[in-house]
Amino acid sequence: MATLRVAAICFAALSVAIAQEANAPPVELPAVATQQLAKSLAAAKPHQQHIWRDTAPQNADGTVNGYIEISRGDRRKWEFDMVRNARAIDRVMPESIGGYPVNYGFVPQTISYDGDPFDVLVLGPAIPGGRLVKGTIVGLMLMEDEKGWDAKVVISRVASDGSMLHQLTSRDQDEIAGYFRRYKAHEPGKFSKVPGWGAREAGLAYVNMTHAFFRECRTQ
């Protein structure tokens, strides 16, 4: 976190520049996201142990934790319910859109610019929903939608010797980006753009920043 030099990061407004130097994360959290953070923490309060609130985002070995909301190939749009401390089905994607091309979830103890936990994409075969996995960062998918900046860190699970099990190939990038560019096309008034990809360092910067938002803005 020292390299981010984060000072005051909870602001009433957010101005996101899509073309940022080295894909650095915006350092301001919008008021709506800060308010959502407070609501999420209040919803989690009755639980003695809460998967989002109480799980560290990173481990001592440098890996990142990811909670799986949606398994690869699933058309059901599962979302984490803060009150229930578990997943719930929000909607089902149309057949024309298809199932998610990658395991999808969030990094615990983070809050992103839309007020939701920071998204994680986990490479490899389908992983059962509701499972917590750890992996090493391999990149960052840049994304924007009607709510604002919505980048997603990409991780690969690791073998027992610490080596990555999966690479983020150009084919993976094309398939994943194509899906997220069209997955809101059937929803009036909504849109999604994937302007490009960032390297591992950019993904780590986003994890650190969104964890800093969680840590610092929870008392605002």
Side-chain angles (χ1 to χ4, degrees):
M1 277 305 304
T3 57
L4 291 176
R5 302 178 66 181
V6 175
I9 56 177
C10 307
F11 291 84
L14 173 68
S15 177
V16 175
I18 298 301
Q20 300 176 76
E21 182 179 357
N23 297 322
V27 298
E28 297 177 0
L29 188 69
V32 64
T34 304
Q35 293 162 5
Q36 184 58 48
L37 173 60
K39 292 178 181 178
S40 295
L41 288 167
K45 189 173 183 179
H47 294 276
Q48 185 174 2
Q49 290 293 322
H50 194 274
I51 191 71
W52 164 73
R53 183 196 62 203
D54 300 323
T55 306
Q58 297 183 65
N59 304 296
D61 60 2
T63 55
V64 169
N65 289 318
Y67 175 86
I68 304 300
E69 292 176 291
I70 307 169
S71 300
R72 178 177 179 174
D74 198 344
R75 284 176 44 220
R76 293 169 296 179
K77 179 68 168 72
W78 294 85
E79 293 190 352
F80 186 75
D81 187 324
M82 293 289 177
V83 174
R84 296 174 55 191
N85 194 22
R87 301 181 307 149
I89 295 178
D90 179 69
R91 60 189 181 276
V92 177
M93 305 300 285
E95 289 188 16
S96 59
I97 300 297
Y100 278 66
V102 65
N103 299 292
Y104 180 102
F106 64 82
V107 179
Q109 288 191 356
T110 61
I111 184 73
S112 196
Y113 305 94
D114 59 359
D116 294 331
F118 181 48
D119 294 331
V120 64
L121 306 178
V122 185
L123 299 174
I127 301 170
R131 181 173 296 182
L132 187 69
V133 300
K134 69 176 187 178
T136 186
I137 298 174
V138 296
L140 178 79
M141 187 180 80
L142 304 174
M143 184 169 161
E144 180 191 9
D145 62 17
E146 73 283 350
K147 294 181 180 179
W149 198 232
D150 195 26
K152 307 175 191 306
V153 67
V154 186
I155 69 172
S156 166
R157 287 185 293 173
V158 295
S160 57
D161 63 358
S163 61
M164 290 189 304
L165 292 175
H166 307 283
Q167 300 288 335
L168 178 61
T169 66
S170 57
R171 180 175 180 178
D172 291 330
Q173 290 178 330
D174 290 343
E175 182 181 10
I176 295 169
Y179 183 86
F180 282 100
R181 286 182 178 124
R182 69 176 189 275
Y183 85 132
K184 291 189 176 185
H186 63 290
E187 300 183 66
K190 296 185 178 183
F191 71 91
S192 56
K193 301 177 182 178
V194 180
W197 295 81
R200 177 191 181 279
E201 293 74 17
L204 179 59
Y206 267 84
V207 170
N208 286 337
M209 183 63 72
T210 54
H211 177 54
F213 290 154
F214 171 87
R215 190 182 65 247
E216 302 295 335
C217 301
R218 62 189 299 171
T219 58
Q220 298 298 309

